[in-house]
Amino acid sequence: MNTPLRLVVADDNPVVRAGLTALLSTHVDITVVAEAANGQEAQEAARRHRPDVILLDVRMPGTDGITALPHLVDIAPVMMLTYSGESETVREALRLGAAGYLVHGEFTTDELVAAVRDIERGGGRRGPVSPPQQRHHSRKQTPNSQLLQAIPQNRFRKCNQLWDSRRRIGHGSG
């Protein structure tokens, strides 16, 4: 049996944190090693536990997810998991190195688990972000064009708008 994926779950809502932890812990290949209520706690937990994937809320008190993101992507790939599907927020998260972005209420449990596994493997189904044997993601090693290509189109809200925006801001034709 392989070593389980190690996750940090960061969300300011304790019910969401507990729910995600309980849900993900039902899978034998996934374990939540730490929870965090804000971006600062997420950074501390990630440094301490060295997870394989970080689930990160965008809006949290104190240090929010967008502020913490650049510090976290050097430790592990980050999946933004939030209620905000605003295209500007999505675009900023991707620009700062997020490996994926899911909007609460717009994905199933199976899609969440698949996205976590995909990101840990180095990206989504459209292509790897980094070699599969390289577990720790580095924003410096992953240009935005690869990052955006790695996101499964059917899992993210307003994806067509993002692909169009990507073309307009000069990240290639996808």
Side-chain angles (χ1 to χ4, degrees), residues 73-140:
V73 297
D74 288 331
I75 298 170
V78 177
M79 166 71 75
M80 304 305 290
L81 188 61
T82 186
Y83 288 100
S84 175
E86 299 164 3
S87 60
E88 203 48 49
T89 303
V90 174
R91 198 173 7 263
E92 181 67 2
L94 296 174
R95 187 186 70 75
L96 291 172
Y101 196 105
L102 290 173
V103 177
H104 287 295
E106 297 190 12
F107 57 88
T108 67
T109 300
D110 290 340
E111 288 171 328
L112 171 61
V113 171
V116 166
R117 289 175 180 147
D118 287 349
I119 286 187
E120 188 279 333
R121 285 186 210 118
R125 290 196 174 106
R126 290 183 48 126
V129 171
S130 59
Q133 63 271 37
Q134 182 181 349
R135 291 187 80 116
H136 294 291
H137 171 76
S138 173
R139 173 169 57 101
K140 295 174 187 85

Side-chain angles (χ1 to χ4, degrees), residues 4-7 24-32 113 116-117:
L5 291 175
R6 299 164 41 82
L7 296 163
L24 293 164
S25 296
T26 64
H27 297 270
V28 296
D29 64 330
I30 297 174
T31 186
V32 175
V113 171
V116 166
R117 289 175 180 147

